[in-house]
Amino acid sequence: MKTQITELFGIEHPIIQGGMHYVGFAELAAAVSNAGGLGLVTALTQPSPEALAGEIRRCRDMTDKPFGVNLTFLPARNPPDYPGYVRSSMAA
């Protein structure tokens, strides 16, 4: 199937995995990507930016297909290290 989504992301099927806290690990993202969709690693499931970088590397080891990283920005009294998560996702 060819759509604007498949063209934009270089995927086979116009299916994008939602960011799912506590389950959006490399295994799920790679499985979705390997099946032709766009898998997503959920950033805030990881305890730190460094752990996110490791999870992205694990996903790259499991698939040669496109995948993404979901980072949800929520208001919080003590927010996570959002800049660190962004840097880790770009550097991994």
Side-chain angles (χ1 to χ4, degrees), residues 4-7 10-11 13 19 32 41-42 44 47 49 56 58 63 68 70 73 76 78-80 84 88:
Q4 288 181 333
I5 293 292
T6 61
E7 293 291 309
I11 56 179
H13 307 292
V32 171
V41 172
T42 305
L44 295 182
I56 292 169
R58 282 182 0 95
T63 187
N70 174 270
F73 290 88
N78 297 313
S88 289

Side-chain angles (χ1 to χ4, degrees), residues 54-76:
E55 196 68 8
I56 292 169
R57 285 190 295 273
R58 282 182 0 95
C59 194
R60 282 196 180 121
D61 288 342
M62 293 182 220
T63 187
D64 59 354
K65 308 279 178 134
F67 68 92
V69 175
N70 174 270
L71 179 55
T72 303
F73 290 88
L74 299 170

Side-chain angles (χ1 to χ4, degrees), residues 8-62:
L8 178 66
F9 293 116
I11 56 179
E12 188 178 345
H13 307 292
I15 297 171
I16 300 173
Q17 172 198 331
M20 294 183 282
H21 203 49
Y22 301 118
V23 297
F25 291 101
E27 291 84 358
L28 178 59
V32 171
S33 291
N34 286 332
L38 183 68
L40 296 176
V41 172
T42 305
L44 295 182
T45 295
Q46 301 302 314
S48 68
E50 297 75 24
L52 172 59
E55 196 68 8
I56 292 169
R57 285 190 295 273
R58 282 182 0 95
C59 194
R60 282 196 180 121
D61 288 342
M62 293 182 220

